[in-house]
Amino acid sequence: MKFFIDTANIEQIKEAASIGILDGVTTNPTLISREKGNPEDIFKAICEIVDGPVSAEAVSPDWQGMVKEGRHLASLHKNIVVKIPMTKEGLKAVKVLATEGIRTNVTLVFSPIQALLAARAGAAFVSPFVGRLDDIASEGMERVEQIMQIFSNYALSAEVIVASIRHPMHVVRAAMIGAHIATIPFKVIEQMMKHPLTDNGITRFLADWEKVKNRS
Ligand code: E4P
């Protein structure tokens, strides 16, 4: 499974990249609003750090506007993937951009049928939001299982990005289901590396090493 980071924070992206596990980045208008600077400069800076898909979101309400924005965003850097919301207008934009060779990531997907529509329209990536489904007492990961089954039934080439991840168990379940990608907040990446027995083990080894290190 590929790991993307779900942030627009340059320091977090650099840190995750330095661990050697980073395959791409997803941003959205909320994440961009938390950072300083012009959005295009942020997208370009991210593309210089990560050699993989970097999602930048189009915000126009109509397909013509999304296509125009998409062409512009894609022209900023070869790594840019245009994020398009899962609406009727969004699907129209995905279709046009796909014919021009511009990759899209259909976002705000909450049902298997939305995912199927996005893949059929020509999306390169489809992003089901598991955490926001869990928030309303719906099973986010079950939607991912259904989407993976449907994509496999029809050998659809769109990759599934498990998004809106809240904790490491979302990542474990995504991996067990066989989802292509998980886009993960920095805090959860840090949690994924931790285990109390690892910390206890290091403490004990260091303490024991103190006892023997000066032996001749
Ligand atoms: C994905 O591309 C989105 O940016 C993100 O995962 C949304 O997560 P949230 O529900 O925590 O805002």
Side-chain angles (χ1 to χ4, degrees), residues 6 26-28 31 83 105 107 127 129 131-132 163-166 183:
D6 195 31
T26 52
T27 70
N28 63 40
L31 294 172
K83 231 182 185 189
N105 169 8
T107 189
S127 293
F129 276 37
R132 294 193 196 187
S164 188
I165 281 179
R166 301 272 196 263
T183 189

